[in-house]
């Protein structure tokens, strides 16, 4: 299955049915009077979160969706049939944005959650509605109203508690394979991971959290280098970031320089996301001689001037991973308890996520506009396929 995390669609609700102009005409009933029925309401359009989906590929190629129109009224006071509502399934974690007003209509974060995105037209009235003591044979009717139409942008952001950051080949995919049932591709070349991967980390019998691995960043990602920053938006919903750093790069580069490059790209993408709680995870410590390990890792921490939590692990052998996952689980539970005890903290978190959403959306649109301008300079008019997400497969192993 191909991974598409953004799509634009047009939704149109059904029209309301017109009211009927009719009079009762029966033998032996000389004064039948008006009997025109009302029309039926038009169907509305809803989006519904569905946990069986993890991509928006269905909406990339089928972009127009219309609900059923209401039927017109009929004689004998028969009301027209109401148009059927149209329910469009989307993955859990989909944000809906009105492209014309840039208003965020809703965020579908729970299975079964529904959002009305287009109101169906209201029914017209038949002439029966207008009869009165002074108007015994009314010829007035009303037409059904038009259904609401919207241009929508669907944005999918994976739902995870913890997000992984790091350079290509920092060991993020190896780490998620080590601590969960997810099996993303692992190889000895950069950009092995092309799409976000999710895994459920089971710490104890009834303790688990979801971790997200996004494609690696490189210096200049905010300007489109490598895979760019388009996948960083998937970290907006996470509560904690784990910054994986390769302490023994094969090219002999400085681990601290690599960590600073990621920090810089994160700040350019979203200052709010950059201020998120972030732990430094020094990976591949098994590649350093045991007698030099402590000094080597401490030198990296000192060069960065890092003040937060630091963990030393070897993702491939599992060394240190259990201590890390247990610490993450404790941190998540403590934050959840704090928000339960203090609702103001939950409100602050919601506001922070909203701010990150806005910053991420603005930054990605800037990147797309720049890429589109570059393509126009190169006389490439294929603007409908500007997301480069047609030749990759989604890897999703939640359990």
């Amino acid at each position: 299955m191909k991974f598409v995390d953004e799509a634009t669609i047009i939704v149109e609700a059904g029209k309301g049915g017109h009211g009927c102009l009719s009079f009762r005409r029966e033998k032996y009933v000389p004064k039948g009077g008006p009997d025109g029925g009302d029309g039926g309401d038009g169907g509305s359009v809803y989006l519904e979160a569905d946990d069986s989906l993890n991509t928006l590929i269905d909406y990339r190629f089928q972009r127009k969706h219309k609900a059923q129109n209401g039927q017109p009224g009929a004689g004998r006071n028969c009301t027209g049939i109401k148009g059927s509502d149209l329910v469009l399934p989307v993955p859990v974690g989909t944000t809906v944005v009105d492209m014309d007003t840039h208003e965020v209509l809703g965020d579908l974060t729970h299975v079964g959650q529904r959002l009305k995105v287009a109101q169906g037209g209201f029914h017209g009235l038949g002439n029966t509605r207008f009869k009165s003591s002074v108007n015994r044979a009314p010829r007035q009717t009303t037409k059904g109203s038009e259904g609401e139409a919207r241009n929508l942008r669907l944005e999918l952001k994976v739902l995870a508690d913890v997000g992984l950051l790091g350079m290509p080949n920092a060991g993020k995919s190896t780490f998620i394979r080590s601590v969960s049932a997810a099996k993303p591709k692992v190889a000895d070349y950069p950009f092995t991971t092309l799409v976000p991967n999710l895994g459920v980390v089971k710490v104890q019998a009834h303790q688990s959290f979801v971790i997200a691995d996004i494609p690696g960043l490189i210096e200049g990602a905010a300007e489109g280098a490598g895979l760019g920053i388009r996948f960083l938006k998937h970290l907006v919903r996470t509560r904690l970031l784990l910054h994986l750093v390769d302490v023994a790069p094969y090219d002999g580069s400085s681990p601290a320089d690599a960590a600073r490059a990621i920090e810089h790209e994160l700040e350019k993408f979203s200052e709010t996301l950059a201020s998120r709680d972030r732990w430094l995870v020094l990976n591949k410590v098994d590649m350093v001689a045991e007698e030099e390990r402590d000094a080597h890792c401490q030198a990296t921490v000192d060069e960065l001037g890092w003040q937060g939590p630091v963990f030393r692990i070897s993702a491939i052998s599992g060394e240190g991973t259990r201590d890390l996952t247990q610490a993450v689980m404790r941190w998540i539970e403590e934050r959840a308890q704090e928000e339960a005890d203090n609702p103001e903290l939950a409100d602050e978190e919601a506001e922070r996520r909203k701010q990150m959403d806005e910053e991420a959306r603005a930054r990605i649109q800037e990147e797309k506009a720049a890429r589109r301008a570059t393509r126009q300079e190169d006389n490439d008019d294929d603007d409908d396929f500007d997301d480069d997400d047609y030749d990759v497969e989604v890897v999703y192993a939640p359990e």
Side-chain angles (χ1 to χ4, degrees):
M1 183 183 297
K2 296 181 179 179
F3 182 80
V4 176
D5 58 4
E6 189 169 310
T8 57
I9 62 173
I10 300 171
V11 295
E12 185 177 347
K15 302 176 183 178
H18 300 328
C20 176
L21 174 62
S22 174
F23 292 92
R24 185 179 181 189
R25 302 293 186 186
E26 289 185 49
K27 191 175 183 180
Y28 308 121
V29 185
K31 297 180 181 180
D35 67 349
D38 298 340
D41 291 330
S44 298
V45 181
Y46 294 85
L47 298 182
E48 182 175 5
D50 187 340
D51 60 350
S52 67
L53 300 176
N54 51 29
T55 173
L56 294 169
I57 186 66
D58 294 338
Y59 300 105
R60 178 52 63 91
F61 302 106
Q62 184 180 352
R63 296 194 172 183
K64 189 167 184 179
H65 304 269
K66 189 178 186 307
Q68 190 176 32
N69 293 332
Q71 298 297 312
R76 296 189 177 182
N77 292 313
C78 291
T79 301
I81 300 174
K82 180 184 183 298
S84 298
D85 293 332
L86 178 62
V87 180
L88 302 175
V90 295
V92 178
T94 299
T95 301
V96 186
V97 182
D98 189 313
M99 295 182 62
D100 298 321
T101 64
H102 303 292
E103 176 189 3
V104 177
L105 302 180
D107 206 2
L108 302 173
T109 58
H110 306 290
V111 176
Q113 183 180 355
R114 275 194 180 189
L115 174 67
K116 182 188 289 187
V117 293
Q119 172 65 51
F122 294 102
H123 60 267
L125 303 178
N127 65 332
T128 303
R129 296 278 192 170
F130 297 93
K131 68 180 180 180
S132 66
S133 60
V134 295
N135 187 5
R136 308 302 297 274
R139 293 184 175 273
Q140 300 100 319
T141 62
T142 61
K143 294 182 178 181
S145 62
E146 295 289 326
E148 191 176 14
R150 288 182 185 268
N151 295 315
L152 302 179
R153 183 170 66 250
L154 307 181
E155 301 173 352
L156 173 61
K157 302 182 186 71
V158 298
L159 298 176
D161 302 298
V162 179
L164 298 182
L165 276 175
M167 285 282 192
N169 283 114
K172 301 186 301 299
S173 295
T174 303
F175 175 72
I176 201 172
R177 288 173 67 101
S178 175
V179 299
S180 75
K183 301 299 178 186
K185 184 178 180 180
V186 173
D188 59 353
Y189 54 84
F191 300 110
T192 309
T193 301
L194 297 176
V195 296
N197 298 304
L198 290 181
V200 175
V201 180
K202 188 175 181 180
V203 180
Q204 291 184 11
H206 301 289
Q207 288 183 317
S208 63
F209 60 87
V210 180
I211 192 167
D213 168 27
I214 68 167
L217 300 177
I218 61 174
E219 188 171 2
E223 285 73 42
L227 293 178
I229 56 175
R230 52 167 299 192
F231 292 115
L232 271 176
K233 66 182 180 182
H234 293 282
L235 299 182
V236 167
R237 299 184 193 274
T238 60
R239 303 296 304 273
L240 176 66
L241 300 178
L242 299 183
H243 189 163
L244 266 69
V245 177
D246 183 354
V247 297
Y250 66 91
D251 58 358
S253 58
S254 168
D257 289 343
R260 277 194 289 264
I262 296 298
E263 290 178 352
H264 184 56
E265 296 302 323
L266 197 60
E267 289 170 355
K268 288 195 290 185
F269 178 75
S270 168
E271 292 184 358
T272 309
L273 180 60
S275 65
R276 218 40 164 165
D277 289 295
R278 182 157 47 98
W279 293 358
L280 183 64
V281 181
L282 302 178
N283 190 24
K284 303 185 183 180
V285 294
D286 57 321
M287 300 295 292
V288 181
E290 189 171 352
E291 61 273 11
E292 302 175 3
R293 189 174 300 174
D294 291 343
H296 184 81
C297 292
Q298 188 59 45
T300 300
V301 174
D302 293 342
E303 188 175 351
L304 285 171
W306 188 266
Q307 301 297 323
V310 180
F311 291 85
R312 304 174 187 179
I313 69 167
S314 171
I316 195 167
S317 67
E319 178 185 347
T321 58
R322 182 167 180 79
D323 291 339
L324 174 56
T325 56
Q326 289 178 338
V328 169
M329 190 72 252
R330 287 194 300 270
W331 186 92
I332 292 173
E333 290 179 339
E334 288 171 2
R335 293 301 178 277
Q337 186 60 47
E338 289 175 0
E339 291 186 3
D341 295 338
N342 187 356
E344 291 183 0
L345 292 179
D347 294 339
E348 291 176 4
E349 175 64 20
E351 185 62 31
R352 192 177 298 114
R353 290 193 180 187
K354 180 180 178 181
Q355 181 67 26
M356 286 190 289
D357 267 329
E358 293 174 354
E359 292 174 356
R361 192 171 295 115
R363 189 67 189 86
I364 290 173
Q365 293 306 315
E366 289 175 9
E367 184 187 12
K368 285 187 176 181
R371 186 165 64 244
R372 193 173 294 112
T374 302
R375 290 188 175 184
Q376 289 177 351
E377 290 177 1
D378 296 337
N379 296 321
D380 185 354
D381 296 327
D382 191 12
D383 290 335
D384 289 335
F385 300 91
D386 60 354
D387 285 329
D388 300 326
D389 51 12
Y390 296 94
D391 297 319
V392 296
E393 293 183 353
V394 61
V395 182
Y396 191 105
E399 57 185 9

